Amino acid sequence: MKFISRRKFVAAVPVSLSLIGSQELLAGKESESPVTLTLRHWVDTLFPGDDFSPGAGALGVHLQILEKADAIPEYGRLIVSGTGWANGMAAVKGISSFAALTELQRVEVVAEAESQGPKSGPGYFFVHTLQDATNFYYGHRESWAGLGIANPPQPLGYPDFEKAPA
Amino acid sequence: MKAGSHEVVIIGSGAGGGAAAYGLAMKGVKVLVLEAGPKFDPFSDYNLSDESWEKTGFPGKAGSTGRQTFAPMQELDPARGTLLSWSAAGGRKNQTEQRLPFKYFHVRGVGGSTLAFTGEAHRLHPESMQMQSRFGVAADWPVDYATLEPFYSEAERVIGVAGPGDQGARYRSEPFPLPAHPLSYGSQKLAAGAESVGMKWEANSRAALSRPYEGRPDCNYCGNCNRGCPRTDKGSVDVTFLHKAVASGFCEVRSGVTVTRIEAGENDRVKGVHLVDAAGGEHFLSTPELIVSCGAVETPRLLLNSANSHAPEGLANESGQVGKNFMETLFWTGTGLHPDPVGSYRGLPADSISWDFNAPDAIEGVVGGCRFNAGVWESEMNGPIAYAQRIVGGWGVKHKKAMRDVFGRALTVGAIGESLPNPRSFIDLDPDQVDGNGMPLARIHSHLDKSELDRLEFMAAKSREILKAAGAGELVEEYGAYDFFSSTHVFGTCRMGIDPEASAVDSFGKSHRWKNLAVLDASVFPSSGGGESPSLTIEALALRNSAGIY
């Protein structure tokens, strides 16, 4: 892959997220912009659903990221560039979009972004979305299934604290 | 209390100011406490019942965070590589070759930093109060343990401290008010490990209720004291000393009031304070007696900012000691993974401790002691976000499987050691940066001498030994004071002593010169102790000294 610096990667997109429909999505409209669709599948690849817990997309993690990006124009541009890059990678595989890839193919694309390192545009996109998706994903109690916790620390506390976990 | 009827003004409402207010109010002295930060409501401000609890630390309410600056810190020494901070998921935490400032943990609010403290309730080791005469370092305390002992007991009763029957050198005139907390399952693992390498590992004395006490409920072991206790079982100053002081009718607390300068006048007396109220209005408040209790960074800042023609070098700074002798939190935390599920996020933070190396001569070849404690909660390794970001890392199916394998298996040994003063650690006024009121900020200069680094190496090595013996030898994170300044406990910048040439205040915290000015906080500590948390000693000193002031 040709290396694209993160500065060029972000600067290539002069639009803010508000111009691409995120506001409408955040307001609950059903139509999903291409950026939002791609980001939903991106975070679902980072935190996929399984027998225990739903994926990040089902919990709305992509919308939380877009909401955060609404207040940080550069982050919004990064997301537009990053999702565009992911769709471009799909096109290389002859598929119309990142969302249309198989799960295995999406994993390959995310792994490619990670492998390019944080000084590259795709790597920078990967690092930031992973960090935020981690924060948002585990901020949903549905994601805790299988970890041994079911509730926040209060109001119940942990009355079984002296014993081996069940 | 009627406006203007106060007999004593106290600046700051943390451990020192709160306990002094209590001590004076209980004697019927009319006290006005001025607090720069806001009042926190434990029942609504602390976010531990929400699923997003882990994303927020102690709440950053408007006005609750002060600002300080840092002078450049020392170069890192390649020979001390075992002291670098790192995590399994993130690698080396400090990517530079220089020690970096992370944070001075200081809460501006009614109750001060006790709002966010763990709540260890420690008495100083008696031998750690004579460091100059015994070892030629720091300075001797002008009061001894026997003098403080009744005030330690009084502070413990006010708080409702829970502790074990015996703490060795820290002799007691009465039992702790409440029985010690049981050890969590994770701490039981650490205890077994420590005992297998010949260490005594025992219940810690804690400002957290093991039984309902004076209308407050007992702890339910949620493990998040540092994020603010929504039950009020933690003995922060707002729900203990200040609550009782205000209830007496002799104490008023005004929040959102920033004192910018103290006005020194003639006849070696201070006239009052210049303040900015919550609405931004500037006022002058006169007072017969003034107590400064802003902590070892902000107290010297206020005194130095109060220089005038009567006190050209800063208030109470005739000895030149204001801001000097800065001592910090010399800390180490090591985290390893136990092979079995432990559920280590459950329990009371720092529920257990080893005092084996706490005496000032307990570590071979190094002057100054340390202590070790169960530390998984204080290192905030008690929620899924922390595990994901600091231990597991990665993404995808593999990440989720690893989270399920690892979550709740982290065991952490924390250690805090003696911090000895040195000429390169001090507080001064930043010549370039001011706060919103135009007053220069405090600038923190921190330097770790060889003795601190040697002590830190001992602490790191012993922590690894304990973790390995506990079955958690697979280390996943280490973090320490070598490459980051990160302090909760700070001391020494208005040293108390008998000699006016070598100390800022006397044995009662009173200025040697200014007849109606006292300092009651950890600024007055001549030495830091061997890793004890200082709040109980600050409170005991404040109770004893406020009795001597009025």
Side-chain angles (χ1 to χ4, degrees), chain A residues 46-48 50 52-53 110 114 135 137-139 141 147-149 152-155 157-158 160-164, chain B residues 48-51 53 55 182 184-185 188 220-222 224 342 345-346 385 388-389 395-396 399-400 403-404 407:
Chain A
L46 296 176
F47 297 98
D50 56 25
F52 286 92
S53 52
V110 174
E114 180 182 26
N135 269 318
Y137 183 64
Y138 289 112
R141 71 170 68 212
L147 299 181
I149 51 172
Q154 292 290 356
Y158 300 114
D160 63 344
F161 71 103
E162 294 176 75
K163 299 173 185 167
Chain B
L48 290 173
S49 298
D50 191 274
E51 63 186 358
W53 68 275
K55 289 190 283 188
S184 70
Y185 187 70
Q188 293 170 36
N220 69 358
Y221 304 98
C222 85
N224 281 281
V342 179
Y345 47 85
R346 305 168 303 162
I385 294 174
Q389 291 187 337
W395 52 278
H399 163 86
K400 288 189 70 172
M403 282 289 285
R404 289 173 190 137
F407 187 73

Side-chain angles (χ1 to χ4, degrees), chain B residues 250-296:
Chain B
F250 289 94
C251 175
E252 179 190 351
V253 181
R254 290 184 197 163
S255 59
V257 176
T258 302
V259 173
T260 53
R261 280 191 304 118
I262 300 167
E263 187 69 35
E266 295 177 343
N267 302 318
D268 296 336
R269 297 186 67 83
V270 298
K271 295 195 287 189
V273 298
H274 298 271
L275 58 85
V276 179
D277 65 23
E282 296 182 16
H283 308 275
F284 180 78
L285 177 70
S286 61
T287 183
E289 297 282 341
L290 182 65
I291 295 173
V292 182
S293 301
C294 306

Side-chain angles (χ1 to χ4, degrees), chain A residues 138 143-153 158 165-166, chain B residues 53-54 222 224 336-346 376 380-389 391-392 399-411:
Chain A
Y138 289 112
S143 72
W144 305 341
L147 299 181
I149 51 172
N151 299 300
Y158 300 114
Chain B
W53 68 275
E54 200 186 353
C222 85
N224 281 281
L337 288 183
H338 195 275
D340 304 320
V342 179
S344 60
Y345 47 85
R346 305 168 303 162
V376 78
E380 296 189 347
M381 195 64 83
N382 57 349
I385 294 174
Y387 272 77
Q389 291 187 337
I391 296 180
V392 175
H399 163 86
K400 288 189 70 172
K401 181 180 183 307
M403 282 289 285
R404 289 173 190 137
D405 288 344
V406 165
F407 187 73
R409 286 170 46 202
L411 294 181

Side-chain angles (χ1 to χ4, degrees), chain B residues 117-125 152 170 204-206 329 350 353 355 358 371 373 378 416-417 488-491 522 525 528-539:
Chain B
F117 78 164
T118 300
E120 294 178 297
H122 292 161
R123 299 174 171 211
L124 279 186
H125 193 296
Y152 273 131
R170 297 164 170 78
N204 202 352
S205 44
R206 295 284 279 101
T329 313
I353 194 163
W355 295 113
N358 173 238
R371 55 71 177 257
N373 61 280
E378 289 168 285
I416 301 179
T488 50
H489 309 156
V490 290
F491 318 85
F525 282 27
S528 72
E532 297 91 339
S533 286
S535 61
L536 191 73
T537 300
I538 296 169
E539 289 156 355

